[in-house]
Amino acid sequence: MKNGVLFYLLVFMFFACKNADQNDTAHEGQVVTADSAAIADAIHGFFHWYDTFLMDTTVRIEFTDASGEHLKLDQANLESYYSHFRNSGFVSDEFIANEYAFFKKCEQLWQNEAVDDIPSCLDADKYFCAQDWEINFWTQSPVRIQSLGDNKVYATLYGSDSAGSIERSFELKKENEKWVLLKVECDMGI
């Protein structure tokens, strides 16, 4: 009798855990599905803002210093540059911290490069991940979304431009009920 009760108890627990796992997975998928338009809007909105920011000559900020033998960062200008990103509302504080860390690594590479060479990390636009781009891809292409749990997603912008098929990936998180960028994936040599 004890073995029979134990068997039924184990079977019950197995199915209860299995259903709980399925409910958790469904819930995560529902969050992504429910927020898919907001996630796409965050990516599209960032690139619309960024393209406008790049073209605005009144806010052009050079955050490198080429006055010596090697290129180096101008920390005050770098902070001023990224204050515009922070104020855009499209990026998280983690995004900005990652950008500072990225450029610190770049600055180390610059110490082995002549100041008049094309510097590592700066041979293409870091967010468009190209030297030339068609803004419509970045502001209108569909987005595939994969949940990373805890209000984080991995999203891929996909479509084509005059060069052919293109995909770019991002990480976002929901912060204060709004989706913001954590990372824009682009291989800049680091």
Side-chain angles (χ1 to χ4, degrees), residues 46-61 63 80-85 88 125 127:
F46 170 78
F47 282 102
H48 178 74
W49 169 83
Y50 182 64
D51 187 59
T52 302
F53 173 70
L54 285 178
M55 301 305 157
D56 186 350
T57 58
T58 64
V59 293
R60 194 164 311 266
I61 300 169
F63 55 81
S80 179
Y81 179 77
Y82 279 108
S83 72
H84 291 280
F85 282 71
S88 75
D125 183 89
Y127 305 110

Side-chain angles (χ1 to χ4, degrees), residues 34-130:
D35 288 356
S36 61
I39 292 166
D41 287 347
I43 295 168
H44 295 151
F46 170 78
F47 282 102
H48 178 74
W49 169 83
Y50 182 64
D51 187 59
T52 302
F53 173 70
L54 285 178
M55 301 305 157
D56 186 350
T57 58
T58 64
V59 293
R60 194 164 311 266
I61 300 169
E62 292 296 326
F63 55 81
T64 58
D65 178 355
S67 63
E69 185 179 337
H70 303 288
L71 194 64
K72 62 183 177 182
L73 287 174
D74 179 323
Q75 190 65 36
N77 282 354
L78 184 66
E79 289 173 14
S80 179
Y81 179 77
Y82 279 108
S83 72
H84 291 280
F85 282 71
R86 182 177 283 112
N87 293 336
S88 75
F90 290 108
V91 301
S92 66
D93 288 339
E94 293 168 72
F95 175 94
I96 293 170
N98 289 336
E99 295 307 293
Y100 288 163
F102 170 81
F103 281 110
K104 285 291 185 189
K105 290 178 185 175
C106 295
E107 186 175 40
Q108 292 172 353
L109 295 174
W110 299 337
Q111 299 313 301
N112 298 316
E113 301 171 350
V115 74
D116 57 349
D117 287 347
I118 296 174
S120 295
C121 311
L122 298 176
D123 60 341
D125 183 89
K126 186 172 187 318
Y127 305 110
F128 287 118
C129 202

